[in-house]
Amino acid sequence: MSFFKIIFLLLTLPLFSQPKIKNNPISSKEIAVLTEQTSEYLDEYKYELSLAKARVALHLAFKVNNDLLVAKNYNIIAGNYEELNEFKRAIFYYNKALVYATKADNNTIKHWLYNNLGNVYCFDEKQFDKGLFYYQKCLKYSKKEGDFKQIYMTSLNLTWAYFYAKDFKKGKIYLDFINKKYKGLDNESDLAIISMLNGMYYNDLKNFEKAKSYFLKAISLGKLKKDKSDYSSVLEEYSKFLFHSGNYKEAYENMILFHKIVDEIEHKIKLNRAYIAGTNLEIDEYKRKIDEIELENNLQAQLLEKTKIISVLLIISLIILLLLIYSLYRNYNFKKVKNLELIQKNQELVLAKEKAEVASKLKSQFVSTITHELRTPLYGVIGTTNMLVDEHKELSDSPHLKSLKFSAKYLLSLVNDVLQINKIEENRVVLEKKTFNIADEIEYIKNSMSYLAQKHNNTIDVFVDPEIPEYLIGDKLRFSQIIINLVSNALKFTQDGKVTVSANLVNVKEKFHYIEFNIEDNGMGIAEENQEKIFEKFVQVSRKEIDYQGTGLGLSIVKQLLELFNSTIYIKSELGKGTTFNFTITFEKDMEKTNAIINNINVDLSTNQIFTILVVDDNKINLLVTQKTIEKFNYICSVASSGQEALQLLDSGKFDVILMDINMPIMNGFETTRLIRERAIKIPIIALTAFDKEEITEEALSAGFDDIISKPFDSRQLYKVINEVIVKE
């Protein structure tokens, strides 16, 4: 719906001229010129440019505290937003303009603002009651002030508003007024709208002939006006009249003409926007000059103050400089003395470092040697246990044999961790994630500790919370080592008593289960002053009544292993009454991961293909164990007790894989493998060694080994590695 919006922009200012930028504050007169320019831009549909300059003028008006100019610029900003159909913003800024117009005590501006608010509420927001309220308020103050021009313009708007709302009876009162008074104001520019309003009135009375004469007169006058907005409004109302009177064809033709005029107006607006893209540079330059003026004024204001400050700072700087020179002189002498002391300390430190490196190297060699010497017999123990189970099926369910096998495995783990405790301290131990049953592990530990319990006439009670899931994921080997150390420690220092192992589920967060473990005995207890010492390495607290053997590392390892689990061990003990160790470990429950782990463990040992394996080892027991393990896979196994014998067998026989021990007399595994590779024999060679895998990896690969397995090893692991190296070949 197009309509005649009269936005009064206070055209009482001087003609347009560019404000002059001086080296002093801008005057109100210059701001008024800029305000006039923003009003002209709005009349020419240059909304962006009008808004930009209005904001600059508003900023300057605030600076000079001119409420009148502030109100005018807010009015122009609101007019821009009204033309851009942002009516909420227009209302907001019209109201702000009213505030400053009231401060300026300027009724003329207030009248125009009431009129503009009436336009927005009636024609845009369709809130006629609110719009008519502002029109009536404007009319009331205009009559009081005797502002006849304002009375006339408000009456014109009221006429159109009532006609727009189809209330022709009330609108007729104001129409009669403007029909009589417009000639007296010499306001011919509004005659097209007045004729249109008369046409609308007689159309409502169904006096179509008289209505048409007024509409044709309005169209004739509208064509002559430079501003086509009035002409478009006339065409729209005339089209409605033709449609109402039954002349549909002519109504359609005039409606097409109406849309054409509207398109021309919009096209003009677009051209103005393109022009604005270039003129924005002018605004930016204007803002820049204003900023320069402000900066220059600030610099001048601060110049005198800075001069004073610089003088004071210069004096202070001279004093500080003198003090600094004196301080540097004293520091030089002090540093000279300290440097001599530091050189001496550095020399001592270098000697200490060299000694520490030698000690560390000797320690590493000792650990490596002991590890190898202990793993070799343990491989025989574990392997022999497996052979007993395989050859004597009736012993497979024997608790004693299970305890032996379990104890041997954890003895191996204990030996490795005790002798490589430095590895734990260096954070080189990484917890594994395997699926296991806590109740089964604790039961295995109870059975393996039965001999020690009987020796001291003790009993072991176990309680496992039934809420704990059947399968959890974690490092069961490290967990079992913790329980074994604590249970064996409790049994050693308890006579004719009881040791209780309990596991309780205390919390569940998503997949993680927090399980609290308590190892309680009713033995002799530990004095309070010794309770912290027992977790230190190689510390043995004296027990008068019981003589026992031990390394003093068990509880130290327990503490460090629990730190890997992000857990802390707590002790509660009283002499003569017993001791309780308490800690909490978090395990994961994930059936998908559990099934995946179980599937990876379940290796299929059945195969139709038969491989020929050569085992080289100087230890007869270990050689026998390895041979039996290989034959369990239904593979053909040949053995050699030395490197020389292995080379002779390779001259006369053909093998799919060679399992080579490293530590052999006369010719070790590295030398034997190098000789094999020099003969261009490409048979896969796997190192079977009691050394730590990390210690020999580099030398083994350079010698020509394809893979490494540390003894003791699991038969499934050996089977998997053998098949992998053959497939690679």
Side-chain angles (χ1 to χ4, degrees), residues 80 183 189 213 217 229 586 590 600 627 726:
N80 274 281
K183 291 182 180 180
S189 62
S213 67
K217 182 179 179 182
S229 60
T586 304
D590 191 324
N600 288 335
Q627 181 181 4
I726 291 175

Side-chain angles (χ1 to χ4, degrees), residues 16 103 219 227 250 265 290 303 359 380 389 443 454 477 497 511 523 535 539 545 549 579 642 645 672 682:
F16 166 75
K103 286 184 178 181
I219 290 172
D227 185 354
E250 194 175 350
I265 295 171
I290 292 173
L303 183 60
V389 173
E443 192 64 31
Q454 292 172 4
L477 191 65
K511 295 181 180 180
F535 294 107
V539 171
E545 298 180 4
Q549 300 296 321
T579 303
S642 66
E645 187 178 347
T672 305
K682 297 182 180 180

Side-chain angles (χ1 to χ4, degrees), residues 78 126 303 344 495 526 533 697 728:
K126 305 299 187 294
L303 183 60
Q344 184 179 354
Q495 187 72 31
I526 304 170
K533 297 179 183 178
T697 298
K728 287 181 182 178

Side-chain angles (χ1 to χ4, degrees), residues 6 37 43 135 144 148 180 201 212-213 255 269 285 296 419 449 495 553-554 578 609 638 675 712 728:
I6 304 174
Q37 187 178 2
D43 291 339
Y135 280 143
K144 186 177 180 181
F148 187 78
K180 292 178 182 178
Y201 174 73
K212 185 173 183 178
S213 67
M255 186 57 69
I269 293 171
E285 181 65 15
E296 185 176 346
L419 296 179
M449 296 286 105
Q495 187 72 31
L553 283 173
Q609 190 171 359
S638 297
L675 290 173
K728 287 181 182 178

Side-chain angles (χ1 to χ4, degrees), residues 596-615:
I597 293 171
I598 293 172
N599 293 335
N600 288 335
I601 293 174
N602 293 332
V603 179
D604 185 8
L605 296 178
S606 62
T607 178
N608 295 326
Q609 190 171 359
I610 298 175
F611 298 123
T612 302
I613 315 296
L614 174 60
V615 181

